[in-house]
Amino acid sequence: MAPKSFKDFSNSVMSMFTTAPAPKPEPEKAATPDFLTSPDAVLKDDARWRYGRAPDYSNTREVFRQTKQKDHGDGSLEMIVQNLVKNWEIEASFKMDLKDWRTIDHDNYSFAINGGEPQTGEHMLKVGTYNAIIASNEYYSPATSDFAQSHKTFKRMMPTFAWEVLEVYSGPPKVAFRWRHWGEMKNDYVGFNDKGEKITAKAHGGLIDIQGVTVAQVDSNVRLQSVQTWFDPLEMFRQIAPNGVVNKEPQSTGSVEEKPGNATATAPNAEETKRVHAEMSTMNPAMCPVLSNSNGFAA
């Protein structure tokens, strides 16, 4: 074999010390929002919480684990949707400033029930999550209860109200899914209906289980935009009084004298509202039906 020329030899040596150009680094993937991976992600947020602190969902989460119907795998579309809605429910119920809600696209968010007019986040903050989804009926009227009173009415009756996704029919950006919301009626239901009557249904200790369908438009960060939900709002009340047996007490516009064995109360007025707010704000988490046994309306 003919000896290599000096030029060939030089090129051979140089090639030993020459490295190929480094490949361009792949763009980093955006981190998955924590509210899609954990149902309690937003509880860690530094926000202006209703009643002065983040709520405790431990009781409801335990009921969920023990009595849920579905067991979705981590990272599944069903689990992602379930976590999103549970975090949204926490924010809608307990974060007092809309700007602190991380689960929504603020510029495009709306919420509608049964084909009704879309509601803003501000509207839900004003009236409360229960009043935003329950239409006035023979058992309950949003006109007689503000945010705090409505939560007290339902959470005293049913201290835990768990929520789960049953099926997901389509993925982002338009997510359609069927859900279940359930709890145990441990205490009497006491509320005011659309006629101003005080309605009382005795606790039966049984299951209250309602289901519905939601279609939600989400953005590229899987934040809620347009949310449309369909369900029968009277189904809960039919299960509260399965035999249709309730006590109805007509209320006068003034004070009503209580008589032994026939206790009555007027529909909430300004003084009653003030008293309820004061009571809710001073309760510690162990005493408060909202803080110690928060629901999950998503939750």
Side-chain angles (χ1 to χ4, degrees):
M1 180 182 293
K4 293 182 178 179
S5 67
F6 178 80
K7 183 177 180 181
D8 290 339
F9 178 76
S10 176
N11 288 340
S12 177
V13 171
M14 291 298 295
S15 67
M16 296 172 60
F17 297 95
T18 303
T19 58
K24 294 182 179 180
E26 295 184 5
E28 292 185 7
K29 294 182 179 179
T32 301
D34 58 354
F35 55 76
L36 301 180
T37 60
S38 166
D40 300 318
V42 300
L43 290 174
K44 304 172 186 176
D45 293 354
D46 181 12
R48 189 161 73 94
W49 293 102
R50 198 174 299 277
Y51 313 117
R53 75 206 78 182
D56 180 358
Y57 273 68
S58 57
N59 288 347
T60 293
R61 297 297 185 247
E62 184 60 28
V63 169
F64 166 79
R65 284 188 288 269
Q66 292 179 1
T67 59
K68 63 183 178 178
Q69 293 182 353
K70 300 294 183 177
D71 191 11
H72 305 305
D74 290 341
S76 65
L77 181 57
E78 291 82 3
M79 182 64 78
I80 289 171
V81 173
Q82 188 167 270
N83 288 335
L84 170 62
V85 176
K86 287 187 176 187
N87 280 290
W88 167 84
E89 186 275 333
I90 294 172
E91 294 191 313
S93 296
F94 295 102
K95 284 186 175 180
M96 298 182 68
D97 289 335
L98 191 65
K99 63 180 178 59
D100 290 333
W101 294 20
R102 296 197 286 121
T103 55
I104 68 170
D105 173 4
H106 288 260
D107 293 334
N108 299 288
Y109 174 75
S110 65
F111 183 88
I113 291 290
N114 294 332
E117 287 295 319
Q119 304 169 359
T120 64
E122 288 86 353
H123 173 77
M124 186 169 282
L125 276 175
K126 179 180 179 180
V127 303
T129 49
Y130 287 101
N131 287 341
I133 66 174
I134 300 176
S136 186
N137 59 72
E138 61 181 306
Y139 299 96
Y140 178 80
S141 173
T144 63
S145 296
D146 66 4
F147 198 127
Q149 290 165 328
S150 63
H151 276 240
K152 194 171 183 179
T153 293
F154 292 104
K155 292 182 180 184
R156 275 183 169 174
M157 173 192 73
M158 189 165 47
T160 58
F161 202 15
W163 189 92
E164 70 175 328
V165 164
L166 295 176
E167 296 179 274
V168 176
Y169 303 118
S170 63
K174 182 168 284 190
V175 185
F177 56 95
R178 185 166 64 91
W179 49 263
R180 172 182 177 240
H181 210 359
W182 76 101
E184 187 176 314
M185 187 181 181
K186 292 191 174 183
N187 300 297
D188 294 352
Y189 167 77
V190 180
F192 293 88
N193 68 8
D194 53 0
K195 298 177 182 178
E197 299 170 319
K198 181 183 178 183
I199 305 298
T200 303
K202 290 296 182 182
H204 52 59
L207 183 68
I208 294 176
D209 191 327
I210 60 176
Q211 296 186 15
V213 172
T214 294
V215 178
Q217 187 79 23
V218 299
D219 67 6
S220 59
N221 294 314
V222 199
R223 297 178 304 176
L224 295 168
Q225 295 179 314
S226 168
V227 181
Q228 301 180 66
T229 290
W230 289 266
F231 80 114
D232 181 357
L234 285 178
E235 181 60 27
M236 177 172 67
F237 296 102
R238 285 193 287 266
Q239 294 181 37
I240 287 172
N243 298 317
V245 179
V246 297
N247 183 43
K248 296 184 178 181
E249 299 178 35
Q251 303 300 300
S252 67
T253 56
S255 60
V256 177
E257 181 181 356
E258 293 189 5
K259 299 179 181 180
N262 187 30
T264 58
T266 58
N269 54 29
E271 286 302 314
E272 172 68 4
T273 298
K274 184 177 180 181
R275 184 191 65 76
V276 170
H277 286 186
E279 180 181 345
M280 296 289 279
S281 65
T282 57
M283 283 181 173
N284 63 48
M287 296 168 54
C288 180
V290 176
L291 296 177
S292 64
N293 297 306
S294 302
N295 75 27
F297 183 112

